[in-house]
Amino acid sequence: MSQIPPNAASLRGAVDLTSLVNRAMTAGQTPAAGAADAGAPDGVVTLPSLYFEGTDANFNDFLDLSMTVPVVVDLRADWAEPSAQLSAVLDRVVKDYDGRLVLVRIDVDANPQLVQAFQAQSMPAVAAVIGGRPVQLFSGAVPEAQVRDVFEQLLQLAAQNGVTGRAAVEGDPAASDDQDAGPAELAAEPLPPHHAEAYEAIERGDYAAAIAEYKTAIAQDPRDTMAVAGLAQVSLLDRLDGRSMDEIRSAAAEGPRDVDAQLLVADLDLSGGHVEDAFDRLLTLFPTLDAAGREAVRTRILDYFEIVGVDDPRVVKARARLASLLY
């Protein structure tokens, strides 16, 4: 994340988001509209919350807000359980930044223009807007520590571009707790009991408990595809938890035939949205391994299919390549 793209229109096939910045804001479109407080210190904007829902129709308001405060964009889908898991992490991290970041959630099914603009190819995906310009951050399962690292870099990038303001919640800043619409409240229906328990465990960082809940859900209903995907996602989070990117990549470089090291760096690739890199790494390694190594790689790739989505074109391509290696 070294720089903002020189022009938002440079995003392949994307809507030119920067053109929206100059549009007049429509009063009442979003909580951000008309939020500036003449009595607030320079660089402070008063908002009713740090958490908002964005749409194709109102996103220009958030582009305007991004001239003062970096806007984090959570592209999510109710049908993708990992979206709720990541949203819980984003909620917690944004709250800890105390107004230096604002979070906008986008329902990808209802807002195709924004999905195209941010090139969101798999769910969940996280981007940002700084000074009206989009910045792609990551997609897929990302541990909380890595999210915080990315946001630190995002704030450095914002400072380099003169976006150093802060959002103050109307009334008492602590009211942001009450304003938070949380991922559970955004879901169309309540989660099944074991899914809800897993979600709560993920919120408190207890990945082992979440894994146990998903396994129980699968044991009760082997056709519970959401639990299968959730288990794959939280297992990836658990494997990466407490490890640094440098540590993982160094181990992989030193052991090109070390199955465990290569599986872990593939996890890192996938968590950062480099889906094709993760598949290619493991599928290239596969023919060189013994039977046990091949089974470990095959199992991990099948988990990736669940995380990315079985209908994703990258999964279809990787599945065909895996089949050619197996048969």
Side-chain angles (χ1 to χ4, degrees):
M1 190 193 306
S2 59
Q3 60 180 1
I4 295 178
N7 190 302
S10 66
L11 295 174
R12 183 176 64 257
V15 176
D16 184 356
L17 295 180
T18 57
S19 68
L20 298 176
V21 176
N22 296 321
R23 295 182 186 176
M25 295 174 66
T26 303
Q29 266 191 316
T30 69
D37 183 348
D42 290 343
V44 175
V45 58
T46 303
L47 304 173
S49 175
L50 299 178
Y51 308 91
F52 299 97
E53 292 185 59
T55 67
D56 287 344
N58 70 20
F59 201 75
N60 56 310
D61 291 348
F62 299 110
L63 289 169
D64 191 84
L65 177 62
S66 77
M67 299 297 183
T68 304
V69 181
V71 174
V72 175
V73 180
D74 176 15
L75 294 130
R76 65 189 314 281
D78 288 340
W79 46 262
E81 186 161 328
S83 288
Q85 298 169 4
L86 181 60
S87 290
V89 173
L90 295 176
D91 276 2
R92 186 162 56 247
V93 175
V94 167
K95 177 183 176 183
D96 288 347
Y97 275 97
D98 193 27
R100 296 171 66 199
L101 298 169
V102 169
L103 180 65
V104 177
R105 296 191 181 89
I106 305 295
D107 178 349
V108 298
D109 293 321
N111 300 283
Q113 194 174 22
L114 288 171
V115 174
Q116 181 185 26
F118 286 108
Q119 299 184 54
Q121 297 181 358
S122 59
M123 295 304 117
V126 178
V129 185
I130 297 175
R133 297 178 184 273
V135 184
Q136 293 181 334
L137 299 182
F138 56 84
S139 62
V142 175
E144 183 170 328
Q146 189 174 334
V147 172
R148 292 182 185 276
D149 287 343
V150 170
F151 284 2
E152 285 296 324
Q153 296 177 52
L154 180 66
L155 287 171
Q156 292 174 21
L157 180 60
Q160 293 168 11
N161 287 271
V163 179
T164 58
R166 183 182 297 270
V169 177
E170 288 176 354
D172 186 350
S176 59
D177 292 347
D178 299 328
Q179 298 287 345
D180 181 9
E185 295 176 29
L186 290 174
E189 298 178 1
L191 293 173
H194 290 294
H195 292 243
E197 291 292 335
Y199 170 75
E200 291 177 6
I202 291 167
E203 271 199 313
R204 61 179 185 267
D206 189 349
Y207 299 137
I211 288 170
E213 291 294 339
Y214 281 130
K215 286 183 175 179
T216 300
I218 294 168
Q220 293 179 355
D221 180 5
R223 297 172 298 176
D224 187 343
T225 56
M226 287 182 65
V228 172
L231 176 61
Q233 188 95 351
V234 75
S235 295
L236 186 147
L237 288 171
D238 187 51
R239 291 191 297 268
L240 292 176
D241 189 39
R243 298 176 181 269
S244 72
M245 289 186 286
D246 288 344
E247 169 196 347
I248 293 171
R249 295 208 179 278
S250 293
E254 292 170 3
R257 297 296 176 88
D258 183 328
V259 176
D260 290 338
Q262 296 305 314
L263 287 171
L264 197 57
V265 78
D267 282 347
L268 185 62
D269 286 339
L270 195 81
S271 74
H274 304 291
V275 175
E276 291 173 321
D277 290 344
F279 284 145
D280 184 64
R281 180 186 296 276
L282 296 186
L283 290 168
T284 300
L285 178 67
F286 186 89
T288 71
L289 302 175
D290 59 18
R294 289 187 177 198
E295 179 58 21
V297 168
R298 185 190 72 85
T299 300
R300 186 64 53 85
I301 290 175
L302 293 179
D303 280 350
Y304 290 175
F305 291 169
E306 295 294 339
I307 293 171
V308 178
V310 294
D311 295 325
D312 188 287
R314 295 164 296 183
V315 168
V316 174
K317 181 179 177 182
R319 190 186 295 278
R321 186 175 169 189
L322 177 61
S324 72
L325 293 171
L326 288 171
Y327 306 110

